Amino acid sequence: ASSPALVVLCGPSSSGKSAIAARVQEAVIGCAVVHQDDYYRPIEDVPVRLGTTDWDCVEGLDVPALLAAISQARSAPSTRLVIAEGSMLSLIELPADALVFLEVDYSVCKLRRSQRSYDYEEPPTYFDDFVWPSAREARAAARSATFIPDSGLEGVAAHVLAIVKALLASRGAIEVGQRIDSPESACGGPA
């Protein structure tokens, strides 16, 4: 059997990546999720730019640990799909079977981001100085991605699930037309 499929889910901060990954994980038996946000370096090792800790640069990530987590998830016997999600993953070379970029416009992204709380204080210009430029860089690097416009959580989730289902079918992990949430599709036959 081939290794589990890897879908890399990218997009700006607050574009819905974690929520979409959770939806896919609920819908696909044998799906593991790796969150970029779990792999930041200690604050003293994150670059400081413009007098502020820049959490929105690849140098702030523990890339080896992130890659090891993806590899570990793909090697688990019950896993047939791994979703790696994060705003900067298109800037890292990953063995992705599919790269999906969630698009959201500037004003919506800035509003959503302003409604979040973090363990650290962000200066008022952080979004414009760090978040949005990083998002634009990640989008430019995602040349081979399927770009999904923001059509609400349900619409985007349906689009991503269609991509996942087609990918799993193309790899023989499910039969075309077979449900992706049934035990038969998870183990190749009746339980």
Side-chain angles (χ1 to χ4, degrees), residues 16-183:
K17 298 174 302 295
S18 295
I20 298 300
R23 291 286 175 102
V24 172
Q25 190 172 35
E26 289 171 13
V28 180
I29 291 177
C31 177
V33 177
V34 177
H35 302 279
Q36 168 196 290
D37 288 353
D38 293 339
Y39 297 93
Y40 279 99
R41 298 168 68 196
I43 190 168
E44 61 272 10
D45 295 334
V46 177
V48 174
R49 296 188 175 99
L50 304 174
T52 301
T53 302
D54 181 3
W55 295 103
D56 287 272
C57 67
V58 172
E59 296 82 8
L61 295 175
D62 184 345
V63 174
L66 174 67
L67 295 174
I70 292 169
S71 179
Q72 183 176 4
R74 291 184 91 189
S75 66
S78 61
T79 302
R80 66 180 171 150
L81 173 68
V82 174
I83 302 285
E85 66 87 9
S87 61
M88 297 179 278
L89 294 183
S90 63
L91 301 169
I92 300 169
E93 192 158 330
L94 296 170
D97 296 294
L99 177 62
V100 178
F101 194 96
L102 306 182
E103 298 202 280
V104 61
D105 72 42
Y106 169 88
S107 59
V108 170
C109 188
K110 189 169 185 174
L111 175 64
R112 289 178 184 170
R113 173 81 182 203
S114 73
Q115 296 169 341
R116 291 184 143 182
S117 61
Y118 294 92
D119 295 337
Y120 55 92
E121 186 76 24
E122 288 184 351
T125 60
Y126 189 85
F127 183 86
D128 291 318
D129 291 342
F130 298 99
V131 175
W132 197 248
S134 176
R136 292 176 54 88
E137 179 186 6
R139 190 192 189 289
R143 291 178 293 280
S144 65
T146 299
F147 293 92
I148 301 178
D150 185 5
S151 58
L153 182 62
E154 296 305 322
V156 174
H159 197 143
V160 173
L161 281 166
I163 291 168
V164 165
K165 191 168 187 176
L167 175 63
L168 292 175
S170 75
R171 294 169 59 90
I174 62 169
E175 298 294 323
V176 175
Q178 185 177 22
R179 290 176 45 137
I180 53 179
D181 62 350
S182 67

